[in-house]
Amino acid sequence: MMYLEKYPERLIDEEGNRLDGRKFDELRPIKIEVGTLEKADGSAYIEQGKNKILAAVFGPREAHPRHLAMPDKALLRCRYHMAPFSTNTRKSPAPSRREHELSKVTREALAPVLFLERFPRTSIDVFIEILQSDGGTRCAGIVAASLALADAGIPIRDLVTAVSAGKIDDQIVLDLDDIEDKAGQADLPVAMLPQSGSITLLQMDGEFSKDEFETALNLAIEGCKKISIMQKEALREKYAAPREEAHEDEKSQEKEA
Amino acid sequence: MSSAFMEIASKIKHKQIADLIKREKRLDGRTLTEYRDIEILVGPITKAEGSAQVSLGKTKVLVGVKIDIGEPFPDTPEDGVLTVNSEFLPLASPSFETGPPDENSIELARVVDRGLRESKVLDTKKLCILPGKKVFVIFVDIYILDHDGNLFDASALASLVAVITAKIPNYEIEDGEVKILEGLQDLPVQDYPIATTFAKIDNSLIVDPTLEEESAMEGRLTITTKQNGNICAMQKGLEGTFTVEEIQKAVITAQEKGEELRAKALGVRNG
């Protein structure tokens, strides 16, 4: 269905509140779950505002088709894909040029944390499905995908984290939603490695002066650090809690004996 | 040559390139922030509404602009349409194959598109003929003829020159129909975006990498600036990473190089 898309005249009110009530440096509410899917080797689910995104990882597994296998390292493949029902107007399920590009930059954002040379002749396949899209999906997809890699037990140097910053009503803000992205003046998606501070994804459209760009980049980095904490919590929830439980059980059994 | 030999040869080359760059030198004698010789040929394709061929050293890119009258997108009924496509022709490099555009060619076209679109190179409102019904549709087709590195900057520059020198016919509206008149007019050009691409090789950044230098690069960063010096598009590519300081330094260099290349583009337009 086509809806009339009307953008409000102002995206930030006099008190500095954005349309959804956030301040300039606030993230949308984020919910992360690790190990959502049964059959994938690793998986994660993220909700960020209205975004709903699933990521799954398979591998390292025998590379198919075989001629793609590399003798000295694993082949990393990523697919960023949007469901036809994820947007206001139905999106054709065939991968668009945008999805091809985002698949490429997502792969390049994740590759630096992997030890691909440890798994020659195999492939590691990362699938990101955008079930509902509301701005900032490439970054949320990377956040989920790096957790799915960890959940698959694949060795990684760090958990890649990502978020965008941008400019709306001449102000630099964190984590644009769909309306802010479309009606705003600039968008800067960033992915980084929280331990080293290395930037692994950087794209930008709109208009920034040099100073605005630096402010936005720093704001995105601060946002990345906050999301990084949530990622670790989500991993702990899946792996640390059951382990503690098992530990408790052991202790009580020892007592009984 | 066997592939094993090629691999050893490329490793030796890689080391040589990296060692030179550490001493702020390059194989062809350029400084780290120097472009190769730039040649711009305006209008080689007379059947196209606009065209330009740009050489960056031995890299050669031809861009043709075709313009049609078509329907606007439903969400922007009063704006003309701009689309960018790129073809990595198999005659341009032994590594290019025939077939549908791969992710590299899609990325290139989308980065050039972002530069043109986000800088608002054309006033798309002025490309509207009948709101909701008829607008000018600008097709920018990038043809890579010879690949010796830095396709992004060569393609962006050729696309810019082809667009700002393209012409549309004079027309009038008669009973809701478009009537083409004699004579041509310029497109409503408002800005001059310039892309500057950096290759990261062993923790140094260089501009305008040759193909040989690209074979040693870990990361790529393209920054597009507008006439007022502001940034309008960015794209990081490849699996290498960048530090915040490297990005900040690159922005300053991109602003300087942007001015330099913009003067060249404007020179050919006015000359």
Side-chain angles (χ1 to χ4, degrees):
Chain A
M1 185 68 189
M2 296 269 303
Y3 295 93
L4 183 63
E5 281 188 61
K6 253 191 113 183
Y7 303 127
E9 263 175 40
R10 299 194 58 181
L11 297 167
I12 304 179
D13 69 15
E14 290 83 6
E15 278 127 50
N17 294 315
R18 291 151 76 178
L19 291 175
D20 58 3
R22 283 185 290 156
K23 297 288 182 198
F24 76 98
D25 60 348
E26 263 183 272
L27 295 164
R28 287 173 280 181
I30 293 177
K31 197 185 110 188
I32 306 176
E33 188 184 275
V34 175
T36 317
L37 301 174
E38 181 63 30
K39 295 295 178 190
D41 294 328
S43 59
Y45 172 72
I46 183 168
E47 285 184 10
Q48 183 167 2
K50 289 182 210 147
N51 286 326
K52 293 178 195 289
I53 299 166
L54 264 176
V57 167
F58 292 84
R61 60 182 178 182
E62 194 176 342
H64 279 289
R66 280 228 179 112
H67 69 90
L68 293 177
M70 291 182 283
D72 57 341
K73 59 177 183 180
L75 171 71
L76 175 64
R77 282 186 289 209
C78 282
R79 183 174 112 126
Y80 164 101
H81 185 248
M82 294 179 94
F85 45 76
S86 64
T87 47
N88 285 347
T89 314
R90 180 178 184 266
K91 196 216 138 273
S92 156
S96 64
R97 288 161 67 83
R98 175 179 172 277
E99 286 166 296
H100 278 292
E101 185 201 346
L102 295 193
S103 297
K104 178 177 189 286
V105 294
T106 298
R107 186 186 73 228
E108 292 166 346
L110 295 172
V113 297
L114 289 162
F115 297 85
L116 295 173
E117 64 286 356
R118 282 205 201 162
F119 309 102
R121 307 209 62 78
T122 67
S123 74
I124 297 173
D125 295 294
V126 179
F127 299 106
I128 297 168
E129 279 296 328
I130 314 300
L131 306 178
Q132 183 163 281
S133 149
D134 193 43
T137 55
R138 85 195 64 177
C139 289
I142 288 169
V143 168
S146 64
L147 284 169
L149 285 167
D151 184 44
I154 297 172
I156 46 176
R157 293 181 174 89
D158 203 347
L159 274 174
V160 187
T161 179
V163 76
S164 82
K167 182 164 80 166
I168 58 173
D169 289 2
D170 295 322
Q171 285 191 51
I172 306 299
V173 300
L174 183 64
D175 190 18
L176 304 189
D177 65 18
D178 195 41
I179 292 180
E180 291 177 328
D181 182 17
K182 286 190 177 132
Q185 297 148 293
D187 181 26
L188 176 78
V190 173
M192 69 179 276
L193 311 183
Q195 288 182 45
S196 64
S198 302
I199 306 294
T200 71
L201 173 134
L202 184 71
Q203 294 184 288
M204 184 249 156
D205 60 59
E207 182 166 353
F208 278 138
S209 69
K210 181 176 156 287
D211 291 346
E212 286 171 336
F213 167 72
E214 286 182 10
T215 309
L217 182 59
N218 285 325
L219 191 59
I221 288 170
E222 289 310 308
C224 279
K225 287 178 185 163
K226 288 182 198 158
I227 292 177
S228 168
I229 294 168
M230 297 181 217
Q231 284 174 291
K232 284 178 196 150
E233 273 168 12
L235 263 185
R236 249 182 238 122
E237 202 160 303
K238 173 154 187 222
Y239 289 103
R243 193 183 298 160
E244 273 160 28
E245 224 169 81
H247 201 66
E248 292 294 313
D249 281 357
E250 243 170 60
K251 268 190 194 160
S252 59
Q253 277 169 4
E254 271 167 26
K255 261 186 202 161
E256 277 166 34
Chain B
M1 263 188 281
S2 76
S3 68
F5 178 82
M6 293 280 285
E7 213 158 281
I8 292 165
S10 84
K11 281 211 171 115
I12 294 170
K13 202 60 147 196
H14 181 152
K15 196 170 177 307
Q16 189 188 5
I17 290 168
D19 288 348
L20 275 173
I21 288 173
K22 281 225 171 64
R23 291 185 279 132
E24 308 225 337
K25 286 186 177 151
R26 295 165 80 168
L27 281 177
D28 52 12
R30 283 185 288 158
T31 67
L32 302 193
T33 56
E34 197 175 343
Y35 271 85
R36 288 168 285 179
D37 285 339
I38 301 173
E39 270 176 48
I40 305 173
L41 184 63
V42 180
I45 308 297
T46 51
K47 292 252 173 167
E49 276 71 53
S51 66
Q53 185 171 313
V54 165
S55 304
L56 273 184
K58 287 176 185 149
T59 288
K60 233 185 222 91
V61 175
L62 173 65
V63 170
V65 171
K66 290 298 294 175
I67 303 177
D68 268 340
I69 293 171
E71 276 182 34
F73 286 114
D75 53 341
T76 52
E78 291 175 20
D79 292 83
V81 175
L82 177 76
T83 77
V84 181
N85 184 57
S86 87
E87 295 284 337
F88 284 19
L89 303 176
L91 61 74
S93 163
S95 65
F96 293 168
E97 287 168 20
T98 50
D102 69 355
E103 58 173 25
N104 295 314
S105 125
I106 290 173
E107 184 186 31
L108 174 81
R110 287 182 58 85
V111 171
V112 171
D113 181 290
R114 220 172 284 152
L116 294 173
R117 191 177 302 278
E118 301 297 330
S119 68
K120 304 193 173 67
V121 63
L122 296 176
D123 182 350
T124 48
K125 297 273 183 250
K126 290 193 180 147
L127 294 172
C128 178
I129 302 168
L130 286 167
K133 292 201 179 94
K134 287 198 163 87
V135 298
F136 283 108
V137 183
I138 320 280
F139 296 94
V140 177
D141 281 285
I142 301 168
Y143 246 46
I144 310 294
L145 301 182
D146 215 345
H147 176 20
D148 192 35
N150 200 9
L151 297 180
F152 279 73
D153 295 356
S155 301
L157 185 58
S159 300
L160 173 68
V161 174
V163 166
I164 65 177
T165 55
K167 305 268 193 242
I168 46 174
N170 292 323
Y171 66 93
E172 62 180 17
I173 315 282
E174 219 177 69
D175 307 327
E177 289 295 316
V178 187
K179 199 177 146 202
I180 304 293
L181 304 173
E182 269 189 46
L184 298 169
Q185 53 177 313
D186 289 335
L187 287 174
V189 176
Q190 322 184 105
D191 212 304
Y192 305 91
I194 298 288
T196 300
T197 296
F198 298 83
K200 181 169 174 177
I201 299 173
D202 279 7
N203 295 317
S204 297
L205 298 192
I206 57 169
V207 303
D208 186 28
T210 62
L211 187 62
E212 221 164 40
E213 288 169 333
E214 284 186 354
S215 69
M217 82 176 159
E218 305 118 44
R220 195 193 64 227
L221 180 63
T222 302
I223 301 172
T224 308
T225 56
K226 297 182 34 160
Q227 194 166 25
N228 63 10
N230 285 351
I231 311 159
C232 65
M234 286 183 126
Q235 179 89 342
K236 184 229 138 197
L238 304 185
E239 297 179 358
T241 65
F242 287 87
T243 66
V244 171
E245 294 71 37
E246 283 168 345
I247 295 165
Q248 287 170 342
K249 224 177 119 192
V251 166
I252 294 168
T253 309
Q255 288 176 325
E256 292 166 6
K257 293 287 136 186
E259 251 177 69
E260 202 178 300
L261 267 65
R262 191 170 297 112
K264 282 197 161 69
L266 286 170
V268 298
R269 189 203 187 195
N270 302 331

